[in-house]
Amino acid sequence: MTTRLFFSPDAAAPSWQNVPTAPGSTEQSRNRTEEHQMVDTTAPVREVATVAYTPAALNRLISREIAGRLREVAAMHQEISAAMVAGDGVTPDERRRGIWHRAEADRLEQLAAAELAGVTDGAGR
């Protein structure tokens, strides 16, 4: 495991750089030296863990993300379809577009299932 510093305690700006320079500040406020540091240098240094994925594990992770996004878009198409065909005053054109949205939702769901099937098929490699 590689250890990297998240921040350095030396990263705090010198107190003379923290002097307020806003319009209306007085000479006295610009010359103050008791400004607080922006970074707490008394806190322990945090370590960042580096995670390494095998190519197969990375492919599974990516495929699951892709399948999830495909399902989100499919749900959006289902909602559009339901809204377009609901009610009595639906025109034939609206019904046709609603049917297309429903077909698109089904196609995206099948694509998401195929993406996940590829993940499980290749899991043993």
Side-chain angles (χ1 to χ4, degrees):
M1 174 189 282
T2 304
T3 303
R4 296 183 301 180
L5 291 177
F6 183 74
F7 68 87
S8 169
D10 299 328
S15 62
W16 61 268
Q17 287 183 343
N18 293 335
V19 175
T21 58
S25 61
T26 64
E27 183 65 30
Q28 181 183 10
S29 67
R30 283 192 292 273
N31 292 328
R32 287 191 301 185
T33 58
E34 73 275 357
E35 295 293 325
H36 297 290
Q37 290 182 331
M38 297 177 72
V39 177
D40 182 11
T41 58
T42 60
V45 176
R46 291 185 259 163
E47 295 179 5
V48 176
T50 302
V51 178
Y53 289 97
T54 64
L58 185 58
N59 285 341
R60 283 192 298 273
L61 180 67
I62 292 169
S63 290
R64 287 185 181 120
E65 289 296 320
I66 290 170
R69 181 64 183 133
L70 288 169
R71 287 196 167 135
E72 287 175 5
V73 175
M76 179 191 67
H77 280 287
Q78 287 173 350
E79 289 175 12
I80 292 170
S81 174
M84 292 185 97
V85 299
D88 296 331
V90 178
T91 66
D93 189 46
E94 290 172 331
R95 187 171 302 281
R96 198 171 22 259
R97 285 186 289 160
I99 291 169
W100 180 87
H101 280 286
R102 180 62 192 167
E104 185 68 7
D106 291 342
R107 188 184 70 79
L108 291 171
E109 285 288 344
Q110 290 172 355
L111 193 57
E115 184 70 33
L116 289 177
V119 169
T120 57
D121 290 344
R125 293 182 206 179

